[in-house]
Amino acid sequence: YNYSNSKRSRRFFWIGDNGRQLCWGRSKGEDTQSVNLQECIGITYGPVTTTFIRCSNLEDPPWTCFSLLFMGRTLDLTVPNDPAIQHWFLGLQHLVATQGIGSMPPISESKFLWLKAQLKLQGAAHRQKMVMGRFLVLQLKALASG
């Protein structure tokens, strides 16, 4: 999914044949748009850009969100499921690191998995109207007394 102007749109994404373009459209070849990954200055994990923050109702779990950073704009994306986020994020991070102009240090796979777990725990805590620290303490107490 592409979040443009803080609105969610379903799009089909693919990497161009030369590995330097991220392409998308309603389907492959229909109303195609693209960005040059060589112009990308970085990639962030989670709903941290202003586009995501401005969404009054984020329809996707936070751990499925990421953004490509360009000078003056972002491309804010989500993927439909858990395994896909790891493949898309780490794959695009590799392409940006090798093709892009940015100097953001890449995150390791283990760091990515830690951040994903953190976002999932924050989501569970917020659903119960708690901060993550309090949520974790209560969960640990429940396990200890269980």
Side-chain angles (χ1 to χ4, degrees), residues 47-93:
V48 296
T49 62
T50 54
T51 301
F52 280 125
I53 292 168
R54 275 189 260 149
C55 286
S56 56
N57 181 25
L58 186 63
E59 297 179 43
D60 299 285
W63 61 88
T64 64
C65 303
F66 66 99
S67 300
L68 293 169
L69 310 175
F70 297 89
M71 294 299 280
R73 72 168 283 205
T74 60
L75 181 60
D76 303 283
L77 308 170
T78 64
V79 294
N81 57 51
D82 232 339
I85 183 59
Q86 185 170 345
H87 299 299
W88 272 103
F89 181 84
L90 293 175
L92 281 169
Q93 178 182 249

Side-chain angles (χ1 to χ4, degrees), residues 2 8 11 14 36 44 51 56 58-59 70 75 81 90 92 96 100 108-109 119 124 126 130 133 146:
N2 178 19
R8 182 179 186 250
R11 295 290 180 261
W14 68 96
N36 186 341
T44 60
T51 301
S56 56
L58 186 63
E59 297 179 43
F70 297 89
L75 181 60
N81 57 51
L90 293 175
L92 281 169
V96 167
S108 66
E109 183 176 7
L119 287 170
H126 290 165
M130 291 185 218

